[in-house]
């Protein structure tokens, strides 16, 4: 399973649409794809897949935010992630499958309440924090349950804890999109340097 994160320091680069396009074309080549929306404050990956779909996407009732919330706030196990995943309808016969773990049902107040209750500092920085083991286990659950050829991750912009998970902990490759201006160039440069440092510290090569 090749894991590729799509990242942009600032919005407006077409990052999410690029991921959806990549997933669609990989599926046309017969590859199975799992797409994960980690842009939790401005999720939109499900909308981009609707642009391609010949048939409606299944109703989204839950997603990664609900999965994280259930594990850390309700002490639920991570034995299966199927309740948080939907399958994107195939465009053509013979296409590979595309599975989507959306951020969640963003049209409900419960999504935003659950997101607000997640303490990222507690998840990643307190003594015996379980955030990193959780996301590594999530990746293994994706591999074992859905057996995708590619895991594509839509990362949040800027510099955040969840963005760090998407760009330094999980991926084999990072696709960095940016606009040709100083703000984008300076911000992206610092993030790419952080990815290089993380590669050396964890002795895991992350291609950019």
């Amino acid at each position: 399973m090749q894991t590729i994160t799509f990242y942009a320091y600032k919005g407006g680069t077409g990052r999410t649409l690029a991921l959806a396009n990549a997933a669609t074309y990989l599926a046309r080549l017969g590859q199975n794809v799992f797409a994960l929306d980690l842009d939790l404050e401005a999720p939109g990956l499900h909308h981009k897949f609707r642009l391609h779909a010949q048939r409606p996407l299944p109703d989204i009732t839950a997603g990664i935010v609900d999965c994280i919330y259930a594990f850390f706030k309700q002490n639920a196990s991570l034995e299966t992630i199927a309740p948080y995943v939907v399958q994107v309808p195939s465009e053509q016969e013979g296409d590979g499958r595309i599975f989507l773990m959306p951020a969640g049902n963003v049209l409900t107040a419960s999504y935003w309440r659950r997101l607000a209750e997640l303490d990222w500092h507690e998840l990643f920085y307190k003594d015996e924090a379980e955030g990193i083991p959780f996301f590594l286990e999530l990746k293994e659950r994706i591999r074992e349950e859905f057996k995708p050829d590619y895991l594509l991750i839509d990362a949040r912009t800027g510099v955040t804890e969840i963005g760090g998970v998407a760009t330094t902990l999980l991926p084999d490759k990072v696709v960095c999109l940016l606009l040709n201006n100083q703000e984008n160039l300076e911000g992206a440069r610092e993030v790419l340097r952080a990815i290089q440092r993380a590669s050396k510290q964890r002795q895991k090569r992350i291609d950019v």
Side-chain angles (χ1 to χ4, degrees):
M1 181 178 76
Q2 183 87 214
T3 302
I4 305 174
T5 290
F6 287 69
Y7 172 81
Y9 179 71
K10 300 285 289 185
T13 61
R15 179 198 73 239
T16 303
L17 183 58
L19 189 157
N21 287 338
T24 300
Y25 283 106
L26 285 168
R28 285 183 185 172
L29 295 172
Q31 303 295 292
N32 294 323
V33 180
F34 192 104
L36 173 60
D37 193 347
L38 286 184
D39 188 359
L40 306 183
E41 281 74 15
L45 189 52
H46 56 293
H47 289 300
K48 300 302 186 287
F49 280 118
R50 286 191 177 117
L51 297 175
H52 291 289
Q54 303 295 322
R55 291 172 286 144
L57 261 68
D59 290 337
I60 293 173
T61 59
I64 181 62
V65 165
D66 305 281
C67 182
I68 299 170
Y69 186 90
F71 186 84
F72 287 103
K73 296 292 186 179
Q74 300 173 337
N75 297 316
S77 68
L78 201 61
E79 290 182 1
T80 179
I81 58 172
Y84 310 107
V85 178
V86 297
Q87 185 169 351
V88 179
S90 298
E91 284 193 356
Q92 302 174 8
E93 187 176 351
D95 282 1
R97 295 175 297 170
I98 300 176
F99 296 100
L100 168 64
M101 179 180 273
N105 186 353
V106 299
L107 299 179
T108 62
S110 64
Y111 171 84
W112 300 104
R113 184 172 60 251
R114 289 185 170 189
L115 178 59
E117 290 179 18
L118 295 176
D119 186 336
W120 300 112
H121 187 274
E122 180 180 340
L123 264 60
F124 292 108
Y125 300 116
K126 74 170 188 178
D127 292 340
E128 300 180 354
E130 298 184 43
I132 290 176
F134 168 84
F135 279 99
L136 292 175
E137 175 62 20
L138 174 67
K139 184 176 179 179
E140 285 307 307
R141 291 257 52 87
I142 292 170
R143 188 197 310 273
E144 291 178 12
E145 289 189 48
F146 295 92
K147 298 177 173 57
D149 299 292
Y150 290 89
L151 167 58
L152 306 183
I153 301 173
D154 193 19
R156 185 185 174 190
T157 56
V159 179
T160 62
E161 288 85 356
I162 197 70
V165 168
T167 55
T168 64
L169 179 66
L170 299 178
D172 303 305
K173 294 180 177 15
V174 174
V175 176
C176 182
L177 295 92
L178 64 158
L179 301 177
N180 187 20
N181 59 49
Q182 187 173 2
E183 187 177 7
N184 270 265
L185 293 170
E186 290 181 354
R189 185 181 296 116
E190 290 307 311
V191 170
L192 296 180
R193 286 172 177 165
I195 292 171
Q196 290 177 339
R197 290 195 295 271
S199 297
K200 293 178 181 178
Q201 290 170 359
R202 295 182 178 144
Q203 296 182 331
K204 174 191 173 183
R205 179 180 174 84
I206 301 173
D207 294 322
V208 177

